[in-house]
Amino acid sequence: MSVPRNSPAKRHYLVAAVLCYANLINFMDWFIVPGILLDIQKYFELSDGDTGLLQTVFILCYMLAAPLFGYLGDRYNRKIILGAGIFFWSGVTLGSSFINELYYWIFFLSRGLVGIGTASFSTIAPTIIADLFEEGKRTTMLSIFYIFIPVGSGLGYVLAAGMAEATGDWHWAFRVTPCMGGLALVLLILLVPHRTQRRTAAHRALSISGTIREAAEKPGVHRIAKTTWCQDVISLAKNWSFVWSSLGLTAMAFVTGALGMWVPLFLYRAQVVQGIVSPCLQESCNSSNSRRKLRKSLIFGGITIGTGIFGVIAGAEAARRLRKINNKADPLICAASMFVSALCLYIALMVAQTNILSTFIFIAFGELFLSVNWAVVTDILLYVVTPRRQSTAIALQILVSHLLGDAGSPYLIGIISNAIQARNAHSFRWSFWSMQYSFILCAFVGVFGGGFFLLTSFYIEEDRKEAEKR
């Protein structure tokens, strides 16, 4: 059957652009709360531990929903699942902007429901991009897709802080992304095809039901029977490259979750200790102090955007070049970046009390090296796991990385900070020191993450060859 040469390629890029735009909104919704964290903390009168639990509820619901959407994505129409997810999380985000201080538990619940909606997108969208492009372009397109993780995260801070400052009411921060989500839903309906052909490394097609069809260029390919979800999980558990890289991603998630939630507040407390800003003592702080607080979120958002873009591009380019001389390049790049990131974060914590500029610089480098891994880790999964299990693999990776990573890290940092403050006299210095000591845990977790990626390098060649056979 003849197909115009140019139109399919153009259509694929349009589909990828829509998915990238939706991914931007996805992560903006993730990080609106950290951008106005102090305002929310004071509005609902939350302790550090309770405030950390806010993000934990979001991540827990996100990760628990991911395996379900992975199962559905491997077997049913992915466009319908994506559309329903975007509509659901956008609607809940809008509704959460009307909750008053007497119903803080509803606000917690709303964040959990947003997590469920975003899980549908994060689980399925990468597999569509992987099916649209061959291996040469796949890494590039996934890199572009994952650039929108740090860009969206940073814009979440910027949007939250900017809307709170412009309107004088932090609730307005939750009323912008639902409009953007509505546009994403329209674009999804108009531009994304109802069914997307699934590929293997040999360009064989995988049907929506999960069974392999004969492709035109491979007439001798035999059909492969559908497998159950339990069989898929057992197979993935025996794939050591998948297991160790998922644990490495877990360490990344632990660190990024804690940083994303607490860094703006940590920097504010550091500046209070240094005497750069005055502490916020009253129920409603003065406008000058409020602008300083929001400025921390804006600066950190800008750092997240810049380091994220550069880090993802640098990681993808390094992987592309080094794969030509070393088949183990991908996990080695991830390991090296985790070690360097952990060192930078540790230095940032140590200088925070005396030099705020150095703290910003080392946090920026720490985030830069974390961002190097985003596209590379996903590409590892896509070539060590057979395509008919990729949605399930991504879902399980999301479950594990969030369960042991950023589902607990914001809350853990918060309760450690609470425990340290409870054992010492209440003061602004101990408010800062308690969070500083809590953050040291992130540096050590980063080192463990580097070790997990090193272990991945021992198995990756064998697992890749095994995936290409199926």
Side-chain angles (χ1 to χ4, degrees):
M1 184 175 74
S2 62
V3 179
R5 293 184 178 182
N6 295 327
S7 56
K10 291 180 180 179
R11 182 69 176 269
H12 293 170
Y13 286 114
L14 281 175
V15 172
V18 172
L19 296 178
C20 287
Y21 172 66
N23 201 34
L24 174 73
I25 305 167
N26 182 10
F27 281 88
M28 286 178 69
D29 276 329
W30 277 52
F31 287 92
I32 287 176
V33 169
I36 48 176
L37 188 61
L38 186 57
D39 294 298
I40 293 175
Q41 189 176 36
K42 291 183 70 62
Y43 184 79
F44 291 112
E45 298 181 354
L46 303 175
S47 66
D48 283 354
D50 292 335
T51 305
L53 185 62
L54 188 62
Q55 192 76 346
T56 295
V57 169
F58 175 89
I59 300 298
L60 279 173
C61 292
Y62 173 86
M63 72 177 190
L64 291 175
L68 172 62
F69 289 116
Y71 176 86
L72 296 175
D74 280 338
R75 291 159 176 82
Y76 300 101
N77 190 288
R78 293 179 288 186
K79 177 179 178 178
I80 294 175
I81 298 171
L82 289 180
I86 293 173
F87 178 80
F88 181 75
W89 97 61
S90 297
V92 174
T93 299
L94 179 62
S96 67
S97 68
F98 299 100
I99 300 171
N100 65 41
E101 68 272 17
L102 298 178
Y103 300 99
Y104 70 91
W105 61 272
I106 298 181
F107 189 75
F108 276 68
L109 177 62
S110 71
R111 295 309 295 168
L113 294 176
V114 172
I116 293 174
T118 58
S120 64
F121 183 84
S122 298
T123 305
I124 295 172
T127 66
I128 295 178
I129 292 178
D131 289 337
L132 291 176
F133 299 95
E134 299 179 4
E135 186 171 357
K137 294 181 179 179
R138 187 184 63 202
T139 300
T140 300
M141 297 310 299
L142 283 172
S143 298
I144 295 172
F145 179 79
Y146 281 105
I147 279 176
F148 288 92
I149 292 180
V151 172
S153 303
L155 285 178
Y157 289 105
V158 172
L159 170 67
M163 289 300 294
E165 183 174 8
T167 64
D169 182 2
W170 61 266
H171 291 86
W172 280 95
F174 292 93
R175 296 169 186 169
V176 177
T177 54
C179 299
M180 300 172 66
L183 176 59
L185 183 59
V186 172
L187 293 174
L188 181 79
I189 293 171
L190 295 178
L191 299 178
V192 176
H194 192 63
R195 292 177 182 267
T196 306
Q197 188 183 59
R198 306 177 190 237
R199 300 185 182 214
T200 66
H203 308 289
R204 289 172 297 184
L206 188 68
S207 72
I208 288 297
S209 64
T211 57
I212 295 180
R213 304 191 301 262
E214 291 182 2
E217 70 273 22
K218 292 286 182 177
V221 173
H222 299 288
R223 293 176 180 266
I224 296 179
K226 288 190 290 186
T227 56
T228 66
W229 186 80
C230 290
Q231 289 173 324
D232 290 346
V233 172
I234 292 172
S235 176
L236 292 170
K238 296 177 181 179
N239 186 325
W240 287 109
S241 295
F242 170 74
V243 171
W244 291 122
S245 63
S246 296
L247 290 175
L249 181 63
T250 300
M252 286 174 55
F254 186 99
V255 176
T256 55
L259 292 178
M261 187 69 176
W262 290 112
V263 161
L265 186 58
F266 172 73
L267 293 172
Y268 168 73
R269 292 180 179 180
Q271 291 189 311
V272 169
V273 170
Q274 293 182 36
I276 298 174
V277 300
S278 58
C280 185
L281 297 173
Q282 302 170 350
E283 186 68 23
S284 297
C285 300
N286 60 66
S287 59
S288 176
N289 200 24
S290 179
R291 284 195 296 270
R292 291 192 184 101
K293 288 184 296 175
L294 294 173
R295 197 174 297 128
K296 307 301 173 297
S297 293
L298 291 171
I299 293 174
F300 185 65
I303 289 174
T304 303
I305 294 171
T307 58
I309 293 174
F310 185 75
V312 171
I313 293 174
E317 183 63 17
R320 187 183 69 82
R321 291 176 179 272
L322 294 178
R323 281 175 194 159
K324 298 176 182 179
I325 58 176
N326 190 336
N327 293 331
K328 301 179 179 181
D330 287 355
L332 294 177
I333 290 170
C334 293
S337 65
M338 286 296 290
F339 289 137
V340 176
S341 175
L343 177 62
C344 291
L345 293 176
Y346 182 80
I347 295 173
L349 295 174
M350 294 300 102
V351 302
Q353 188 173 347
T354 57
N355 192 319
I356 198 68
L357 178 60
S358 297
T359 305
F360 273 112
I361 291 172
F362 281 105
I363 285 177
F365 277 110
E367 286 211 320
L368 172 66
F369 285 100
L370 279 176
S371 298
V372 164
N373 292 349
W374 285 116
V376 181
V377 172
T378 301
D379 210 24
I380 289 174
L381 181 149
L382 292 173
Y383 64 66
V384 300
V385 174
T386 183
R388 62 195 174 94
R389 294 192 176 109
Q390 284 177 358
S391 288
T392 298
I394 291 175
L396 287 176
Q397 193 173 77
I398 288 173
L399 175 64
V400 172
S401 63
H402 292 301
L403 176 65
L404 303 178
D406 53 353
S409 62
Y411 182 58
L412 182 60
I413 297 298
I415 61 173
I416 292 175
S417 176
N418 278 351
I420 294 174
Q421 290 183 55
R423 295 185 179 183
N424 297 277
H426 179 73
S427 67
F428 297 114
R429 287 190 176 275
W430 274 112
S431 178
F432 164 75
W433 286 334
S434 63
M435 189 156 289
Q436 181 188 42
Y437 298 152
S438 302
F439 262 135
I440 292 175
L441 178 63
C442 292
F444 288 102
V445 171
V447 173
F448 277 106
F452 291 137
F453 284 121
L454 282 180
L455 289 172
T456 305
S457 68
F458 296 140
Y459 301 94
I460 196 163
E461 291 180 292
E462 178 182 348
D463 289 333
R464 181 169 188 169
K465 291 177 182 177
E466 183 66 23
E468 289 174 349
K469 294 177 183 178
R470 301 183 179 185

